[in-house]
Each structure stands twice: as structure tokens, then as C-alpha cells.
């Protein structure tokens, strides 16, 4: 650590210490994310705050999915001091809990220092951000995460919805409005800039959009968002789920992700003189996303259940194409121009690991820019209504139809594999292959209803 870095660290540390004292924060959660996207934490009391802020808290990495073997278990939590927040609820005794997001480091016994852990998803995203910075780019991202609120029975979640609302409906049909409002207030107390909150198309389904930000901050926000939503729902006797398709026959939950690239504060996707006012940089970025969409699909849509959302008829994309106004392709370019010029990738779902998903999206876009990958012509027709012949003539490919196909595509995409790194790629593939193998050996209620008496 340089002298300047050390000074900055001590300044931020002092600011945190003043705040925890002022707000009666007695516990601090050191938060991190495992390879599969689950949020983990180590909680320490106020007597250990100094030690925690100086990255001296150790944990057993062998207990975390896909991290390390038992003989390499010692890992350290290096806090990003700029992410410190206080949860907007108190314990029964009036004490508060703080939270700080950490990167995972491991000891380098030879150098007697700490080094970044190759299995840390947040560090994986940092690497791609640094790659973009070397090219002069700063990526911004704005997610639109959707989720369902379900009733509980004897403390256990059901799939019974709490309302009969539809898109943008209000009370009395949308009984989740008060819960949404509580979620928004909690998020704002934690530093979020919420732009919109509304009922979605399906009953019990909601969406809360927060302002775009630097890509690393956005990934942190997604992780925090999921925790806050679940916590507030529980406080109201409801269960919040980010499962992509919890109910057959209605829309699933996506996380459309808006993306743009800036240089020196200027949006480089905008070109006033170009056709559609989209710069070559923007078109190349789209080209990169389209070329690698199959490759990163297993990460942006990581569950067996993810592919039950991505079927025709429920507004989820299945076709690898782009358009300005049409919502059936994979990528849409919203009408806003100037610094608001952006591309909207419509395939991710809210169950993904936000750090890995954003790392792969950004790397795919950068590949498009670096190698000047021209996208095909935009498709302004409803692709779902096009014949197979018409889609083939327009060279419209399709996303993988299930998790197994997505894992195959990931393994074939060398750039996406290299972006994840050997450790994360191998452990992600291993865990997801096991998930798929377990799924295909199950006998579902649909199968017994369909075949038990018929054969």
C-alpha cells in the first residue's frame, strides 16, 4: 500500500468509526459473494471493528461452495471501505448492524503478504473493469430486477400470490404496494437512488429500478437489493423470491440490464451524426454481446429454472438479435440519446451472480469494440411471429434451450472461460453439471399426471 493509499484508508476508516459510534452500530457484517452468487457474511462485534477494517479477519474458505480445498482454507476479508452502510432496522434492544462489502484474499506464505483470490467473483469483475479502463472506457450499468412476493403458511413460503394486480396496477388489487414502499425507503436509507417501483405483468410480481452507476457499484447494489427485499418481505409475513419462473403459465422474472460506455464523462455510444445516432463503438459493443450471448448465458441465466422463463409468449428473449423498438430480440436500444444512450440486454435473470454476469457482459462488449464486430441489421418485426425460414434468412440464432446446452456453449467460448479464470470456470461448471444431472433424474408431478394411467 502506498503512502497515499494508506492516508486514504485511515481517513475512510476514521469516518466509519465516527458513524458507528454516532449511530450505535454494535455489529458489522463483512459481506462477500460465493461463485454461485449466494451472499455470505462474517459478523463481528464492535470490539473487532478495527481489526475488520484493516483486513485482519480470517475465515474458513473450504466451507464456501467452490472456494478452496480444506488444506488451503485460510482466507481473508479485505473490506472496500467505500461500501460501508448501516442497515435501516434495529435489534429489539435498539442496536444497529453495519455492512461492508469485501474482496477475498489469500495468504502468500512466500512473500508474507495477502494476494487476491482467483475464486473471488468481485475481483473477477474488477479485472475486467481495469481492462476497460486501460482502453479509456468506464462502463455504466442499470438493472431492472423483478421478483415475486408470495404468502407464507406456518412460516413456510407458498406460491400463493398476495394480489390480483397487473402491469402498473394500484391498490386495491396490488396489496404489495405498501411492502414495495417499505423496500424503497429501506433502499434509500442505504444510499440507493430508486427511479421507479411498480407492479409487473404477473400477479404477485414487482419491479424496482435504481439509477445506473459504475459497473462494480451496480453489482454491489444488486447483491444488497436482494438482501433488503427478502428482509422487508419477511418483516411483513411474505416471502420474496428471485426464482426466474416460480409459476407455470405466467411471466417469469428477468433483470434487464442497461449498459453504456463513457470516456471522460461523455457517453461514447452516442453519435449525433450517425444513423440512429448510435456510434460505431455502440454497434461494435452490440456485436460483441450478440457473438458471446450463448457463451455467457449459463452465467446470466444460471438455474435449471431460468430456461423455463425464456420461452416464446412471455416477453423473455430467446432469439439472438437486436432492435430499437422491438422487445422480442435479445437486445433493445431505448429511445433516449445523448448521455442516456444505452443498450438493454434482456436475457439476465435476478438469480445470477451479479459480479460474474456483469464481468462477462462487459468483456463481451469490449471484445466487440476491440475487434470491430459489426452486428447484423436490426430486426424490427416481432420475431416470435416470424417463420423459421424467415428467421433463418435473417440469420437469427437462438439462445440455448436449457442449462445443459448453456454450459456446453460456455465451455466452447474461450474468451468467456478466460474471463472467469480457471478456478471459477471449473468450479462453476462442476456445480452446475451436478445441478443438471440431479434435475434430469427427477420424476415431476407433470410426468406422473401425464403418463401414469396412460401407459
Amino acid at each position: 500500500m502506498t503512502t497515499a493509499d494508506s492516508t486514504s484508508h485511515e481517513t475512510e476508516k476514521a469516518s466509519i468509526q465516527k458513524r458507528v459510534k454516532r449511530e450505535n452500530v454494535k455489529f458489522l457484517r463483512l459481506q462477500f459473494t460465493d461463485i454461485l452468487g449466494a451472499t455470505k457474511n462474517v459478523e463481528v462485534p464492535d470490539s473487532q471493528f478495527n481489526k475488520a477494517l484493516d483486513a485482519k479477519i480470517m475465515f474458513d474458505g473450504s466451507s464456501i461452495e467452490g472456494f478452496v480445498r480444506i488444506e488451503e482454507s485460510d482466507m481473508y476479508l479485505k473490506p472496500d471501505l467505500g461500501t460501508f452502510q448501516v442497515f435501516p432496522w434495529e435489534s429489539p434492544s435498539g442496536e444497529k448492524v453495519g455492512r461492508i462489502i469485501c474482496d477475498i484474499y489469500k495468504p502468500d506464505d512466500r512473500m508474507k503478504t495477502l494476494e487476491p483470490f482467483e475464486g473471488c467473483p468481485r475481483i473477477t469483475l474488477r479485472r475486467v473493469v481495469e481492462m476497460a479502463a486501460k482502453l479509456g472506457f468506464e462502463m455504466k450499468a442499470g438493472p431492472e430486477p423483478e421478483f415475486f412476493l408470495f404468502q407464507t403458511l406456518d412460516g413456510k413460503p407458498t406460491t400463493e400470490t398476495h394480489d390480483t394486480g397487473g402491469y402498473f396496477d394500484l391498490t386495491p388489487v396490488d396489496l404489495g404496494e405498501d411492502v414495495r414502499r417499505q423496500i424503497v425507503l429501506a433502499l434509500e436509507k442505504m444510499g440507493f437512488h430508486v427511479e421507479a417501483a411498480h407492479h409487473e405483468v404477473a400477479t404477485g410480481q414487482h419491479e424496482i429500478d435504481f439509477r445506473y452507476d459504475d459497473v462494480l457499484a451496480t453489482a454491489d447494489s444488486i447483491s444488497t437489493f436482494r438482501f433488503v427485499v427478502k428482509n422487508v418481505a419477511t418483516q411483513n409475513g411474505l416471502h420474496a423470491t428471485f426464482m426466474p419462473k416460480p409459476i407455470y403459465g405466467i411471466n417469469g422474472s428477468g433483470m434487464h440490464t442497461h449498459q453504456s460506455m463513457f470516456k471522460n464523462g461523455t457517453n461514447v455510444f452516442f453519435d449525433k451524426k450517425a444513423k440512429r445516432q448510435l456510434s460505431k463503438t455502440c454497434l461494435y459493443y452490440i456485436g460483441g454481446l450478440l457473438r458471446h450471448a450463448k457463451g455467457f448465458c449459463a452465467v446470466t441465466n444460471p438455474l435449471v429454472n431460468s430456461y423455463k422463463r425464456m420461452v416464446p409468449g412471455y416477453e423473455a428473449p430467446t432469439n439472438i438479435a437486436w432492435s430499437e423498438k422491438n422487445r422480442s430480440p435479445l437486445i433493445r436500444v431505448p429511445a433516449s440519446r445523448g448521455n442516456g444512450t444505452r443498450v438493454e440486454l434482456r436475457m439476465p435473470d435476478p438469480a445470477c451472480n451479479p459480479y460474474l454476469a456483469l464481468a462477462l457482459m462487459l468483456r463481451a462488449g469490449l471484445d466487440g469494440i476491440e475487434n470491430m464486430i459489426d452486428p447484423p441489421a436490426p430486426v424490427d418485426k416481432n420475431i416470435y411471429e416470424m417463420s423459421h425460414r424467415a428467421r433463418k434468412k435473417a440469420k437469427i440464432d437462438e439462445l440455448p434451450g436449457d442449462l445443459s446446452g448453456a454450459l456446453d456453449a460456455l465451455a466452447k467460448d474461450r474468451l468467456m472461460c478466460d474471463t472467469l479464470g480457471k478456478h471459477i470456470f471449473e468450479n462453476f461448471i462442476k456445480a452446475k453439471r451436478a445441478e443438471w444431472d440431479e434435475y434430469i433424474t427427477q420424476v415431476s408431478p407433470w410426468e406422473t399426471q401425464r403418463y401414469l394411467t396412460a401407459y
Side-chain angles (χ1 to χ4, degrees):
M1 185 182 293
T2 65
T3 302
D5 289 338
S6 178
T7 302
S8 175
H9 174 83
E10 291 302 319
T11 301
E12 287 187 281
K13 181 178 168 182
S15 176
I16 291 172
Q17 289 169 330
K18 287 181 181 177
R19 185 175 175 190
V20 299
K21 186 174 182 180
R22 182 174 68 249
E23 298 191 31
N24 193 33
V25 176
K26 294 297 183 182
F27 295 93
L28 179 62
R29 286 183 174 178
L30 303 173
Q31 179 181 310
F32 60 100
T33 302
D34 73 9
I35 288 173
L36 300 184
T39 301
K40 308 289 186 179
N41 78 92
V42 174
E43 187 170 279
V44 299
D46 54 0
S47 63
Q48 300 297 306
F49 283 4
N50 280 342
K51 187 177 177 181
L53 297 177
D54 288 334
K56 294 179 180 178
I57 297 296
M58 190 170 62
F59 73 100
D60 180 6
S62 66
S63 300
I64 306 299
E65 177 73 50
F67 266 24
V68 291
R69 297 168 297 181
I70 194 165
E71 65 268 24
E72 323 172 302
S73 60
D74 290 347
M75 312 293 287
Y76 286 85
L77 294 163
K78 184 177 181 181
D80 182 340
L81 300 188
T83 66
F84 176 77
Q85 289 290 347
V86 178
F87 288 118
W89 43 76
E90 298 179 349
S91 68
S93 57
E95 297 163 340
K96 289 189 174 182
V97 177
R99 179 231 59 190
I100 196 161
I101 298 174
C102 302
D103 294 324
I104 308 301
Y105 275 63
K106 63 181 182 180
D108 183 337
D109 295 332
R110 184 175 59 86
M111 300 296 293
K112 304 299 181 184
T113 59
L114 297 180
E115 63 178 9
F117 171 48
E118 61 273 19
C120 176
R122 197 168 189 264
I123 290 175
T124 299
L125 178 55
R126 280 189 185 276
R127 285 200 305 266
V128 185
V129 170
E130 290 167 3
M131 189 181 302
K134 289 179 180 178
L135 297 172
F137 296 118
E138 180 183 14
M139 182 190 179
K140 305 282 187 180
E144 296 178 346
E146 298 169 342
F147 58 94
F148 280 85
L149 291 174
F150 290 128
Q151 295 177 0
T152 59
L153 181 63
D154 298 328
K156 296 181 179 180
T158 71
T159 53
E160 296 296 322
T161 60
H162 60 288
D163 65 58
T164 56
Y167 198 51
F168 282 103
D169 276 348
L170 298 173
T171 48
V173 290
D174 177 11
L175 302 180
E177 184 179 355
D178 287 340
V179 178
R180 276 206 318 272
R181 188 177 294 120
Q182 290 177 43
I183 292 170
V184 170
L185 291 173
L187 291 171
E188 288 182 336
K189 288 178 180 178
M190 294 193 69
F192 280 66
H193 298 277
V194 176
E195 293 191 332
H198 60 84
H199 198 289
E200 258 296 336
V201 174
T203 56
Q205 188 183 34
H206 305 268
E207 177 178 308
I208 296 176
D209 306 332
F210 38 95
R211 194 172 70 186
Y212 74 92
D213 205 339
D214 297 341
V215 65
L216 183 62
T218 295
D220 288 339
S221 294
I222 294 169
S223 180
T224 299
F225 173 82
R226 294 192 298 209
F227 175 81
V228 170
V229 168
K230 284 182 170 291
N231 195 290
V232 174
T234 299
Q235 291 172 15
N236 285 271
L238 297 173
H239 175 73
T241 182
F242 294 96
M243 179 180 178
K245 186 82 168 185
I247 300 177
Y248 166 76
I250 63 176
N251 284 31
S253 292
M255 189 178 72
H256 302 164
T257 305
H258 296 254
Q259 304 166 45
S260 54
M261 301 286 268
F262 281 70
K263 263 190 179 181
N264 301 319
T266 300
N267 188 328
V268 296
F269 279 4
F270 175 64
D271 183 348
K272 187 176 182 180
K273 297 179 181 179
K275 186 178 182 180
R276 304 183 188 88
Q277 296 188 325
L278 300 178
S279 69
K280 276 288 188 182
T281 301
C282 180
L283 295 176
Y284 293 150
Y285 191 94
I286 291 172
L289 288 178
L290 294 176
R291 174 168 294 184
H292 294 286
K294 287 184 176 181
F296 60 68
C297 191
V299 175
T300 56
N301 304 81
L303 308 182
V304 167
N305 181 256
S306 296
Y307 298 86
K308 298 186 177 182
R309 164 186 167 247
M310 294 198 296
V311 294
Y314 296 98
E315 298 185 12
T318 60
N319 300 285
I320 302 175
W322 73 285
S323 177
E324 282 189 87
K325 301 175 182 178
N326 188 358
R327 292 177 184 266
S328 60
L330 181 71
I331 295 172
R332 185 178 75 94
V333 179
S336 180
R337 290 296 182 264
N339 266 3
T341 308
R342 61 196 188 276
V343 301
E344 176 191 15
L345 185 68
R346 298 173 60 79
M347 65 192 281
D349 67 48
C352 70
N353 183 322
Y355 300 100
L356 298 183
L358 284 164
L360 295 191
M361 286 186 259
L362 174 54
R363 186 66 190 93
L366 286 176
D367 185 51
I369 294 171
E370 290 178 289
N371 292 296
M372 295 184 287
I373 300 173
D374 277 313
V379 180
D380 294 324
K381 298 178 181 179
N382 186 336
I383 299 177
Y384 298 131
E385 296 178 356
M386 294 172 66
S387 67
H388 175 75
R389 184 178 179 182
R391 291 198 301 271
K392 188 174 181 180
K393 185 177 180 180
K395 297 181 179 179
I396 299 173
D397 202 354
E398 293 186 349
L399 292 171
D402 56 40
L403 180 60
S404 181
L407 293 171
D408 291 341
L410 171 60
K412 292 176 183 176
D413 193 320
R414 182 46 50 196
L415 184 71
M416 297 295 96
C417 295
D418 290 345
T419 302
L420 291 176
K422 185 174 185 290
H423 182 100
I424 289 181
F425 168 74
E426 290 182 351
N427 283 280
F428 182 86
I429 287 284
K430 180 181 178 182
K432 290 299 168 180
R433 288 289 186 202
E435 182 178 333
W436 175 256
D437 290 345
E438 182 180 348
Y439 166 69
I440 61 174
T441 59
Q442 300 297 312
V443 178
S444 68
W446 181 90
E447 292 171 272
T448 54
Q449 291 171 11
R450 179 100 174 187
Y451 304 129
L452 191 62
T453 58
Y455 295 93

